[in-house]
């Protein structure tokens, strides 16, 4: 069965308000986790964010929460090797996965991180959706396909979020979107809506907030 991948539309008023309220409250850092036994109790719904180093993940999380310094952006790709948990409201965790695709990290570090990621994705019952961030200037790379395949095998629904959408002209963005849709057609766990964002301009932020707030 062929899946038709579309751009997520702006949310209706009740969904937008639900999203606004979820992120209007305090968002707090809970802990950074380096092993499965350090995970916080699975007592609330969670969503996770995955993306290549320098894709703008920290900036997007900060834009969602309206807190400029909540997720720390590192100048050294791959430095943060922890799974970082944040609370959003009373019923959600936002989970910031370490940036992948880092060339400078030692191989044992990469292998340890990949093991932890696989364990987390396949063993976390409260994980409702993964958001895979793709840079609008570059489209889907080989390493993105690898993380998507891992999500497929872990049976975790994932949704692509295009970041830095304001950095490319509309015609170029349309080409990248076609490339992204083609890549997604090979991944059964892919959700059929793509969210186009710009943390700088605020594009797609209310949409993404509403998606997270209305997950069940």
């Amino acid at each position: 069965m062929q899946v038709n991948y579309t751009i997520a539309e702006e949310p209706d008023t009740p969904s937008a308000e639900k999203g606004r309220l979820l992120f209007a409250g305090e968002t707090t850092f809970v802990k950074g986790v380096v092993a499965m036994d350090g995970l916080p109790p699975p007592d609330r719904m969670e969503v996770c964010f995955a993306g290549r180093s320098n894709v703008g993940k920290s900036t997007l999380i900060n834009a969602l929460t309206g807190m400029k310094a909540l997720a720390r952006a590192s100048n050294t790709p791959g430095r943060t090797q922890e799974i970082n948990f944040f609370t959003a409201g009373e019923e959600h965790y936002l989970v910031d996965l370490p940036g992948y695709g880092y060339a400078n990290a030692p191989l044992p570090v990469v292998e340890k991180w990949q093991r932890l990621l696989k364990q987390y994705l396949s063993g976390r019952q409260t994980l409702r959706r993964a958001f895979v961030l793709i840079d609008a200037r570059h489209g889907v790379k080989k390493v993105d396909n690898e993380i998507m395949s891992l999500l497929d095998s872990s049976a975790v629904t994932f949704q692509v979020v295009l970041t830095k959408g304001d950095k490319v002209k509309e015609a170029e963005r349309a080409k990248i979107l076609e490339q992204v849709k083609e890549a997604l057609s090979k991944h059964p766990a892919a959700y059929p809506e793509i969210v186009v964002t710009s943390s700088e301009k605020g594009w797609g932020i209310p949409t993404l907030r509403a998606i997270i707030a209305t997950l069940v």
Side-chain angles (χ1 to χ4, degrees):
M1 186 182 76
Q2 189 172 0
V3 178
N4 184 27
Y5 293 93
T6 59
I7 306 302
E9 295 182 357
E10 288 190 12
D12 58 31
T13 304
S15 299
E17 180 61 7
K18 203 168 178 182
R20 186 192 72 76
L21 287 172
L22 174 61
F23 288 96
E26 190 176 10
T27 306
T28 53
F29 174 67
V30 180
K31 67 190 302 193
V33 174
V34 293
M36 286 294 284
D37 58 8
L39 291 176
D43 56 2
R44 52 173 75 201
M45 179 191 302
E46 59 197 63
V47 296
C48 69
F49 297 85
R52 289 197 312 273
S53 300
N54 293 339
V55 76
K57 183 158 52 68
S58 298
T59 312
L60 181 73
I61 292 172
N62 292 341
L64 277 173
T65 59
M67 298 171 71
K68 286 185 180 173
L70 183 72
R72 296 186 302 277
S74 170
N75 292 327
T76 307
R79 174 176 287 172
T80 310
Q81 295 301 312
E82 298 178 339
I83 297 178
N84 288 312
F85 281 78
F86 304 89
T87 58
E90 299 295 319
E91 298 174 352
H92 289 73
Y93 279 130
L94 307 179
V95 185
D96 182 11
L97 302 177
Y100 55 80
Y102 30 85
N104 299 329
L107 191 59
V109 172
V110 174
E111 287 174 344
K112 184 183 175 189
W113 146 232
Q114 286 173 337
R115 256 195 325 273
L116 176 61
L117 179 61
K118 284 176 186 172
Q119 290 171 334
Y120 167 71
L121 291 175
S122 58
R124 194 69 170 170
Q125 298 301 319
T126 44
L127 179 61
R128 288 292 179 273
R129 187 166 299 176
F131 293 100
V132 177
L133 278 50
I134 303 292
D135 192 319
R137 299 169 301 180
H138 307 304
V140 175
K141 303 271 194 185
K142 181 173 178 282
V143 70
D144 297 313
N145 273 314
E146 288 169 3
I147 200 88
M148 290 176 192
S149 295
L150 178 56
L151 289 158
D152 290 336
S153 63
S154 303
V156 175
T157 300
F158 70 86
Q159 185 163 9
V160 160
V161 176
L162 225 55
T163 62
K164 308 182 185 183
D166 60 314
K167 303 297 183 192
V168 289
K169 291 182 175 153
E170 198 168 334
E172 188 59 33
R173 196 162 63 241
K175 271 193 221 165
I176 290 289
L177 276 165
E178 285 311 307
Q179 187 258 3
V180 171
K181 289 175 185 178
E182 172 64 24
L184 289 181
S185 69
K186 299 174 175 66
H187 294 284
Y191 191 76
E193 285 184 348
I194 300 163
V195 186
V196 179
T197 67
S198 161
S199 298
E200 210 170 278
K201 308 276 188 187
W203 298 357
I205 300 302
T207 303
L208 195 48
R209 284 174 177 161
I211 289 168
I212 294 167
T214 54
L215 284 171
V216 291

